Amino acid sequence: MNLPYAEDLNTGYLARLFDNTSECYKLFWFKAIVNAVCDGKQVLTYEELIDKMIADAWYMVTEYHLNLGPRDTLQTVIELMKSKNPELKSSEKETVIIEYLAGLKDKEINAKKATLTYNVPYRLQAPFLSDIKGKTWNVRASDLANKINQAERLIYYFDAINGLSSRIIINEDWAEYIRRNREILLGWIEYHMIHYLQRRNPSVPGIADKLYPPQERKLEKVKKYWKCILSVEPVYEIYNDLKLTDNDISIDHFVPWSYVAHDEFWNLSPTTKSINSSKSNYLPKWDLYFPKLAQLEYKSYELMWKYEGIHNEFEKCAKEHINNTDVLDRVYCPGLSYEQFAKRLKAVIHPVYKAAHDCGFDWNWEYKDLTV
């Protein structure tokens, strides 16, 4: 991906910022700089940039359980914050996380934040600093900052090195370049972020959809399909055996959306809105709930091949929610017995379920009716 050219700036060096990205810090640090500059700032403290990094990575770590790297301090500080403050939701807005961090007096969390400043503020600009090599980097922060400050045409320079209160000053020409090319630069960072996270999370699908909170998902066709079935026979959802109605039907992802990042038909089943909310991002107990899921799905499968109206609604769902023709041909072909259908459905869902479990999703969820 080529970056916009600027006559008086070395954009070739800029394009090499992420050449050697063994950790995620460079990506989040530079993204925080780009967003801060576009907000009109050119003097930035380490702490406000670190807080922006934490807020930016918050959702992908707490909601999607993405691995940012072995012994990654950014991930560690987020998990530490979450464990100490369970009231902080995965879906908290960036401003809420930043406001929380701004007033935080927790020594353990602040120590982790300080660790994030040890290398990345200095090494990010390594492509501009060909004369700093090997052990030359391994000096006191203030000495390293003074040496870097002697270079010309850097993106930023250092001022008042003092832990988290240390400051960087963005070069005016680079600030103008960043503001002028904000969308391109953010797209370029996102491109490198996706490749980095794919390498760190090889078994996780849909990485590109897990950088930010999801947009509203459209499951109306699936809901209409189940409502069509409701008009023919009663339907009881799988978690509490409740009879569903047109007015209280919600579509659940058996393996949470926050892992699969898709709305494939084979992973969807109807339930009530309250149960769906209760299940949240947990994996349901496999031995308890998969047999019920298979029975419910087989019932809909039989009705789909029996009634033309239901079959028509299925076809509408299939166009949007079954993207693998092999799954369509094997699981939803006519003439299957329950045993055949359940075996084929399990072959599709169970590997995904296990992979989500291996990534840290709680796999022991069982519905508890608190109204009883």
Side-chain angles (χ1 to χ4, degrees):
M1 181 176 180
N2 295 324
L3 296 177
Y5 173 76
E7 185 174 350
D8 297 327
L9 300 174
N10 197 323
T11 54
Y13 288 158
L14 175 66
R16 292 174 48 205
L17 287 191
F18 309 130
D19 279 1
N20 299 300
T21 306
S22 59
E23 303 292 343
C24 68
Y25 311 138
K26 289 182 181 179
L27 294 158
F28 285 102
W29 175 264
F30 188 58
K31 183 179 179 182
I33 289 174
V34 169
N35 284 322
V37 168
C38 292
D39 286 340
K41 296 183 177 182
Q42 283 184 235
V43 179
L44 303 162
T45 68
Y46 283 11
E47 184 157 34
E48 66 182 298
L49 290 171
I50 294 299
D51 288 353
K52 283 180 175 289
M53 290 168 63
I54 291 170
D56 192 25
W58 177 263
Y59 197 85
M60 65 178 70
V61 171
T62 60
E63 178 76 3
Y64 298 137
H65 301 277
L66 291 185
N67 170 30
L68 301 185
R71 299 179 299 279
D72 182 272
T73 304
L74 182 58
Q75 181 172 337
T76 299
V77 73
I78 290 171
E79 291 172 345
L80 184 61
M81 284 173 57
K82 183 67 173 173
S83 67
K84 290 190 172 191
N85 303 276
E87 72 277 6
L88 287 173
K89 300 188 294 291
S90 298
S91 58
E92 295 288 4
K93 293 182 178 179
E94 179 179 302
T95 52
V96 173
I97 300 298
I98 290 175
E99 287 173 6
Y100 168 81
L101 287 165
L104 193 63
K105 304 300 182 184
D106 189 294
K107 291 183 178 180
E108 187 178 11
I109 291 175
N110 286 333
K112 295 293 184 184
K113 285 172 58 176
T115 302
L116 288 167
T117 70
Y118 290 170
N119 290 306
V120 68
Y122 314 101
R123 290 181 180 265
L124 177 76
Q125 298 190 97
F128 293 83
L129 304 165
S130 58
D131 60 329
I132 302 181
K133 300 177 181 178
K135 294 183 179 180
T136 313
W137 289 102
N138 301 327
V139 296
R140 289 192 311 170
S142 57
D143 294 337
L144 183 57
N146 289 333
K147 185 173 182 60
I148 292 173
N149 280 348
Q150 297 172 27
E152 296 182 354
R153 310 299 287 170
L154 295 181
I155 301 171
Y156 58 83
Y157 292 86
F158 299 93
D159 178 58
I161 298 299
N162 182 26
L164 286 169
S165 299
S166 303
R167 297 184 299 181
I168 63 171
I169 302 173
I170 310 298
N171 173 281
E172 179 62 45
D173 292 336
W174 276 111
E176 175 58 30
Y177 177 89
I178 289 170
R179 286 191 288 266
R180 188 170 63 249
N181 299 292
R182 177 179 183 271
E183 296 304 323
I184 295 174
L185 289 171
L186 289 177
W188 174 64
I189 296 168
E190 183 175 298
Y191 169 82
H192 284 280
M193 184 80 74
I194 290 169
H195 279 268
Y196 175 84
L197 291 172
Q198 284 176 331
R199 189 169 74 250
R200 293 299 189 192
N201 301 268
S203 65
V204 177
I207 290 292
D209 293 317
K210 295 180 176 178
L211 302 186
Y212 314 103
Q215 301 298 313
E216 182 180 359
R217 298 188 291 277
K218 296 180 180 179
L219 298 172
E220 289 308 311
K221 288 185 175 66
V222 180
K223 190 179 291 186
K224 190 174 180 181
Y225 168 77
W226 282 103
K227 286 184 176 181
C228 190
I229 291 175
L230 283 176
S231 69
V232 175
E233 287 190 15
V235 173
Y236 295 83
E237 57 82 41
I238 68 174
Y239 299 117
N240 198 33
D241 296 321
L242 291 177
K243 184 179 179 180
L244 296 174
T245 68
D246 279 3
N247 296 325
D248 189 23
I249 186 171
S250 181
I251 303 302
D252 167 61
H253 291 72
F254 189 77
V255 179
W257 187 94
S258 54
Y259 177 74
V260 296
H262 63 57
D263 300 316
E264 289 297 294
F265 190 79
W266 47 264
N267 190 48
L268 304 174
S269 73
T271 187
T272 67
K273 295 171 186 176
S274 62
I275 292 176
N276 203 357
S277 177
S278 174
K279 178 173 173 284
S280 186
N281 291 323
Y282 297 113
L283 287 166
K285 283 185 175 180
W286 179 266
D287 291 339
L288 177 60
Y289 292 118
F290 176 74
K292 294 182 178 183
L293 176 70
Q295 289 163 10
L296 178 59
E297 294 297 324
Y298 186 68
K299 177 179 180 178
S300 79
Y301 163 85
E302 287 187 306
L303 295 174
M304 180 266 289
W305 285 110
K306 182 177 180 180
Y307 294 101
E308 182 178 358
I310 297 176
H311 190 89
N312 289 339
E313 294 303 326
F314 172 80
E315 291 293 339
K316 294 174 185 177
C317 289
K319 289 178 180 178
E320 186 171 330
H321 297 289
I322 303 179
N323 291 295
N324 186 320
T325 55
D326 182 60
V327 170
L328 181 62
D329 293 340
R330 293 188 71 252
V331 180
Y332 300 101
C333 61
L336 297 179
S337 66
Y338 169 73
E339 290 72 19
Q340 290 172 315
F341 179 87
K343 182 178 180 181
R344 295 182 185 192
L345 185 64
K346 179 180 178 181
V348 176
I349 295 182
H350 191 260
V352 182
Y353 180 100
K354 185 178 183 302
H357 172 215
D358 292 344
C359 284
F361 282 79
D362 190 318
W363 56 276
N364 210 28
W365 181 83
E366 182 176 352
Y367 180 70
K368 303 294 183 183
D369 189 349
L370 301 179
T371 64
V372 176

